Amino acid sequence: MDKRESMWDVYLRKGMSRRSFLKGCAALTAMMGLSSDKVAKVAEAAEKKPLPVVVWIHGHECTGCDESFIRSAAPLASDVVLNEVALEYDHLLSAASGAPFEAHLDEVIQKYKGQYILAVEGAACTKDNGVYCMSGGHTFTHLLQKAAAGAAAIIAYGTCAVSGGIQAASPNPTGSSGIAHFTGSKPVVNVPGCPPIPEVMTGVVMHVALFGTVPPLDSEGRPRQFYGNRIHDTCYRRPFFDAGMFAENFDDEGSKAGWCLYKLGCRGPETYNSCGNMRWFQGMSYPIQSGAPCIGCSNAHFWDEGPMSRRLPQFSPAVDVDTIGAGLAAVTAVGVVGHAAASVVQKKKRIAAEQAEKGSGEE
Ligand code: FSX
Ligand code: SF4
Ligand code: F3S
């Protein structure tokens, strides 16, 4: 097999300094959720390990995940794509297309069998043998199975790839689902969000690329460093929740004063993601900071749990808000237990929904 360059080799070839290489390694370390004493380990891996080959495919989706990815600031998405991984095939970012491009994919799959990272965005469409989502003259599910068979690890980017997303929303006319049914026994890292946070996307692929292992995952296959907290746990409006100060309408005084959005449908108390601490657009903002309740976009089947303006159903409106605040504060205090319980509840909901779908839509 030909010698592949390491990240350091690429920096050298492009005349970039050792200083910028180390800065890049420091940024990667932070984005992988590792402490700063791991920078040397990351630099060592980046210096010696050949650039990992990445194949990136797209099923049923809106392309929002890629729109998110290309906005990653630390590390820059362009650095990841041009200097830090060998991106051999990408439905969206590759300039090539047509038959030679598809032939190249087959070559890559053969040549790097068992070594490449497969990144998948979008749902798998199953109805009518998958004809509603085609790629290169074949169904997406065919491509997915083919690419998954030789992958070292698989990353499911976005709620669509993890659990079907908007395509799978009732009545799910295309029989869409998450990709897990098509990936066999390969380890899959689930990175939900519609779309996921840019730096979470780059952080996850670089963790797999540099360490050759998937990051520590929770019971739903999500990287713990990015999905270990609920939006509610890190929300700057949380003091208003605990004090029982809620906006009742989008244009009332409470709304203007930045009070808690729980009564306007905020799903923060049941949603695991890093929006509250990492935020979006280089830490500038996130939905709640913009005055919009969290709609739980990293939760499976969040599209079907509307209307999104309705407050969380598990809390009775009869219970006064102070009680809710105190109850949730207690859950936060035992976050690990709370997380496990929420995961079980979500899993049960998902299984029930999948069974209902099987019964009604799919062939
Ligand atoms: Fe889905 Fe992503 Fe939402 Fe869109 O690839 S998670 S619809 S932002 O684009 O898949
Ligand atoms: Fe923040 Fe929503 Fe929790 Fe209120 S309910 S504190 S707005 S996450
Ligand atoms: Fe999504 Fe809620 Fe974050 S809607 S973007 S998980 S604040």
Side-chain angles (χ1 to χ4, degrees):
M1 189 172 288
D2 54 341
K3 180 177 180 316
R4 285 171 26 227
E5 291 179 308
S6 68
M7 184 173 141
W8 173 232
D9 292 334
V10 175
Y11 272 63
L12 277 180
R13 177 164 54 78
K14 294 188 173 176
M16 295 162 83
S17 67
R18 179 76 182 170
R19 186 181 168 81
S20 63
F21 170 74
L22 291 174
K23 269 174 76 177
C25 292
L28 283 173
T29 308
M31 289 329 299
M32 288 187 286
L34 301 173
S35 56
S36 53
D37 62 346
K38 295 287 188 304
V39 173
K41 230 179 159 60
V42 170
E44 192 186 341
E47 199 166 336
K48 294 184 183 150
K49 272 182 77 92
L51 291 189
V53 171
V54 177
V55 169
W56 200 306
I57 62 175
H58 295 243
H60 255 182
E61 42 103 22
C62 80
T63 321
C65 298
D66 258 322
E67 290 290 340
S68 177
F69 176 78
I70 61 175
R71 283 163 180 78
S72 174
L76 275 172
S78 54
D79 277 346
V80 172
V81 169
L82 299 175
N83 303 332
E84 294 165 6
V85 301
L87 185 61
E88 291 287 346
Y89 181 96
D90 189 318
H91 277 143
L92 199 84
L93 299 176
S94 295
S97 63
F101 186 46
E102 299 308 320
H104 178 66
L105 173 64
D106 288 335
E107 270 171 38
V108 169
I109 285 176
Q110 280 306 318
K111 189 170 172 185
Y112 299 110
K113 194 171 179 187
Q115 298 174 45
Y116 60 87
I117 300 169
L118 175 65
V120 186
E121 290 179 31
C125 157
T126 61
K127 192 149 185 209
D128 296 333
N129 298 317
V131 293
Y132 305 116
C133 188
M134 304 288 288
S135 168
H138 297 283
T139 61
F140 172 70
T141 47
H142 170 82
L143 169 64
L144 176 59
Q145 278 172 313
K146 180 172 76 170
I154 301 167
I155 304 173
Y157 278 131
T159 302
C160 300
V162 174
S163 48
I166 192 165
Q167 297 69 218
S170 179
N172 192 359
T174 57
S176 287
S177 69
I179 63 167
H181 298 304
F182 299 91
T183 51
S185 57
K186 291 285 156 66
V188 178
V189 185
N190 286 332
V191 186
C194 187
I197 297 171
E199 288 77 13
V200 169
M201 296 183 76
T202 48
V204 171
V205 71
M206 288 314 300
H207 185 111
V208 181
L210 287 173
F211 294 116
T213 58
V214 299
L217 304 176
D218 68 11
S219 61
E220 299 202 5
R222 303 171 294 196
R224 278 199 223 129
Q225 71 261 46
F226 299 121
Y227 295 90
N229 289 308
R230 297 172 307 167
I231 299 297
H232 190 66
D233 299 331
T234 53
C235 182
Y236 74 102
R237 297 191 190 220
R238 179 62 183 269
F240 292 111
F241 179 93
D242 291 338
M245 296 163 78
F246 298 91
E248 306 274 345
N249 288 297
F250 284 103
D251 58 354
D252 68 8
E253 288 308 311
S255 200
K256 287 174 195 160
W259 292 1
C260 173
L261 301 169
Y262 166 73
K263 287 193 176 179
L264 294 173
C266 186
R267 303 292 200 262
E270 64 168 19
T271 303
Y272 288 83
N273 208 336
S274 287
C275 309
N277 44 348
M278 292 175 70
R279 308 202 181 184
W280 291 72
F281 301 113
Q282 299 163 48
M284 187 171 74
S285 188
Y286 71 119
I288 290 169
Q289 194 174 342
S290 308
C294 168
I295 58 171
C297 77
S298 50
N299 296 334
H301 308 297
F302 75 99
W303 293 105
D304 287 336
E305 285 161 4
M308 286 166 181
S309 57
R310 191 177 61 202
R311 76 177 71 171
L312 282 169
Q314 62 260 47
F315 303 122
S316 159
V319 178
D320 75 83
V321 287
D322 287 342
T323 310
I324 295 167
L328 277 174
V331 172
T332 308
V334 286
V336 175
V337 178
H339 189 175
S343 299
V344 170
V345 169
Q346 287 198 352
K347 197 167 181 181
K348 277 186 180 160
K349 274 200 225 163
R350 193 174 65 233
I351 290 168
E354 279 176 5
Q355 282 170 347
E357 271 166 28
K358 268 193 198 134
S360 64
E362 289 187 27
E363 296 181 332

